[in-house]
Amino acid sequence: MIKIIAVLCSLSSPANCHEQTVTTSDFADISMQSCLMGAPQLAEWMKQHPAERLAAWRCMIGNQDRRGA
């Protein structure tokens, strides 16, 4: 699985930033190369969230969400 994780900052409070999983290869056609080049899925997601600014993004391989029970 390949995930696109964006670092988003609020336009109203630029110091207020957080990470958000934009999409995963389970839901979209994402290759590692397209992810590293700024996948179109990222641009589409940003259009739907105009109150946030994209500060950075990264690509993650595999499911690394390890939440304890």
Side-chain angles (χ1 to χ4, degrees), residues 6-62:
V7 177
L8 304 167
C9 301
S10 169
L11 290 178
S12 61
S13 179
N16 183 13
C17 299
H18 65 279
E19 286 190 347
Q20 171 83 36
T21 299
V22 173
T23 191
T24 68
S25 57
D26 287 345
F27 300 107
D29 184 25
I30 303 170
S31 67
M32 187 52 112
Q33 182 177 4
S34 70
C35 186
L36 292 172
M37 295 176 67
Q41 295 86 356
L42 186 56
E44 184 61 35
W45 194 91
M46 291 306 300
K47 284 183 195 176
Q48 297 172 12
H49 298 84
E52 296 184 296
R53 177 184 63 85
L54 178 64
W57 81 88
R58 61 188 168 95
C59 305
M60 181 182 293
I61 298 175

Side-chain angles (χ1 to χ4, degrees), residues 1-5 32 35 58-64:
M1 177 189 314
I2 299 172
K3 292 183 185 180
I4 300 174
I5 301 173
M32 187 52 112
C35 186
R58 61 188 168 95
C59 305
M60 181 182 293
I61 298 175
N63 187 2
Q64 297 182 4

